């Protein structure tokens, strides 16, 4: 069986390419499901219940988030009703929402876990200890797919090997740049440091270049709007054996719109 995992959806442009391409991509790749990181889908920061519903209708079977989970102020009151959406499991226990969920399809049941890194990120509980706790809660007979939303490649790689043989896949999100290190770890876990981005690629990781450049050149604060223009949809295709819960293959995917003349 195959599952698609899709990198950070950025703003309205990212949602539009996801709407146009996700169902077709699932059919083309023979994927039974898609897990989509959508923590940047609401004007570049956060998500709302309405947008989560839209993304699920567009072909996502589960949604993961990250450090912008609370980017839209009304979302804290909405997240509890969204069963197929997960925020980082290593947030404080008082935070609303869930850190992992089970997705049940006619052919398979699988778990989706969201975790946030600590290196160069806002303070959260230890992702490694939290993963141990979460895995003790998840039924032992289901494949587990982990979205590790983190900045440092070293932290992501270490998590991959820490979970090797214990989960089906560990993929990174957050940096919006797809990496070229897709590989099968020794004990049967699929790994990729970063899925990449679903959004406008003539940009600075999805943001308009002018204010970002101004900030780098002058050091002055600037509002970073979502960029316009052609988009890319990036992610990974994970093939796995539901009986053993082991991955058998991982490959990156990319759909890039052409630039207009």
């Amino acid at each position: 069986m195959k599952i698609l995992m899709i990198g950070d959806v950025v703003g309205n442009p990212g949602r539009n390419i996801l709407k146009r391409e996700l169902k077709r991509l699932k059919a083309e790749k023979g994927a039974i499901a898609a897990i989509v990181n959508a923590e940047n889908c609401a004007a570049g920061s956060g998500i709302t219940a309405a947008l989560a519903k839209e993304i699920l209708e567009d072909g996502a079977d589960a949604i993961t988030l990250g450090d912008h989970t609370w980017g839209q102020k009304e979302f804290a009151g909405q997240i509890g009703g969204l069963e197929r959406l997960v925020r980082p499991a290593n947030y404080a226990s008082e935070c609303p929402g869930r850190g992992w969920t089970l997705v049940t399809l006619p052919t398979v049941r699988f778990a989706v876990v969201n975790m946030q890194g600590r290196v160069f990120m806002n303070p959260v509980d230890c992702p490694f200890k939290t993963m141990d706790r979460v895995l003790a809660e998840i039924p032992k007979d289901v494949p587990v797919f982990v979205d590790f939303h983190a900045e440092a490649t070293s932290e992501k790689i270490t998590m991959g090997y820490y979970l090797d043989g214990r989960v089906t896949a560990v993929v990174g999100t957050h940096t919006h740049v797809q990496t070229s290190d897709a590989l099968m770890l020794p004990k049967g876990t699929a790994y990729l440091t970063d899925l990449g981005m679903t959004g406008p690629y003539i940009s600075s990781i999805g943001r308009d270049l002018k204010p970002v450049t101004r900030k780098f050149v002058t050091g002055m604060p600037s509002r970073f709007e979502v960029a316009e223009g052609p988009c890319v949809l990036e992610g990974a295709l994970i093939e796995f054996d539901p009986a053993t819960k082991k991955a058998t293959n991982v490959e990156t995917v990319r759909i890039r719109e052409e630039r207009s003349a």
Side-chain angles (χ1 to χ4, degrees):
M1 292 183 173
K2 300 176 183 179
I3 282 182
L4 278 166
M5 300 187 76
I6 303 297
D8 304 51
V9 177
V10 181
N12 188 59
R15 299 199 312 271
N16 285 341
I17 190 172
L18 190 77
K19 183 183 296 289
R20 290 193 300 270
E21 299 290 349
L22 183 56
K23 289 181 180 178
R24 183 193 64 78
L25 184 62
K26 287 172 70 175
E28 178 185 299
K29 297 293 185 180
I32 60 167
I35 302 165
V36 175
N37 184 289
E39 68 129 17
N40 294 125
C41 74
S45 181
I47 189 171
T48 64
L51 291 179
K53 180 181 179 182
E54 177 184 313
I55 288 170
L56 291 169
E57 290 174 347
D58 291 340
D61 297 275
I63 296 172
T64 56
L65 301 176
D67 60 310
H68 293 301
T69 292
W70 313 123
Q72 301 297 311
K73 61 182 181 181
E74 70 270 29
F75 189 62
Q78 301 173 340
I79 190 172
L82 301 170
E83 294 184 359
R84 287 192 285 162
L85 178 146
V86 289
R87 47 83 172 154
N90 53 335
Y91 278 7
S93 59
E94 294 82 1
C95 290
R98 54 183 59 80
W100 68 272
T101 191
L102 284 175
V103 178
T104 302
L105 302 177
T107 54
V108 70
R109 183 173 69 151
F110 61 92
V112 180
V113 181
N114 198 190
M115 202 65 62
Q116 184 173 311
R118 294 198 293 185
V119 180
F120 310 128
M121 302 282 282
N122 293 329
V124 288
D125 292 343
C126 175
F128 295 87
K129 292 179 180 178
T130 305
M131 274 302 318
D132 291 338
R133 175 180 59 78
V134 167
L135 289 177
E137 298 172 357
I138 294 174
K140 303 301 182 185
D141 62 339
V142 301
V144 179
F145 295 80
V146 180
D147 174 350
F148 189 30
H149 197 80
E151 183 77 31
T153 55
S154 59
E155 191 178 19
K156 292 178 179 180
I157 290 167
T158 303
M159 179 64 82
Y161 282 98
Y162 187 73
L163 296 177
D164 186 21
R166 302 165 66 193
V167 303
T168 304
V170 177
V171 299
T173 55
H174 179 63
T175 66
H176 293 206
V177 178
Q178 189 181 74
T179 54
S180 61
D181 61 341
L183 80 161
M184 290 297 306
L185 300 180
K187 298 178 183 178
T189 293
Y191 175 81
L192 179 66
T193 294
D194 202 279
L195 291 173
M197 177 185 73
T198 299
Y201 62 83
I202 303 176
S203 67
S204 178
I205 59 173
R207 304 292 183 148
D208 184 78
L209 281 163
K210 289 183 179 179
V212 177
T213 304
R214 188 180 308 117
K215 173 68 179 296
F216 279 125
V217 171
T218 68
M220 296 296 293
S222 186
R223 183 178 177 84
F224 297 162
E225 301 287 353
V226 175
E228 303 288 339
C231 289
V232 64
L233 183 153
E234 294 177 321
L237 183 69
I238 315 293
E239 189 168 1
F240 68 102
D241 182 344
T244 65
K245 302 177 294 179
K246 305 291 187 183
T248 56
N249 191 51
V250 54
E251 61 184 62
T252 56
V253 296
R254 174 183 291 133
I255 298 172
R256 186 187 294 270
E257 295 177 335
E258 295 296 324
R259 298 175 61 174
S260 58

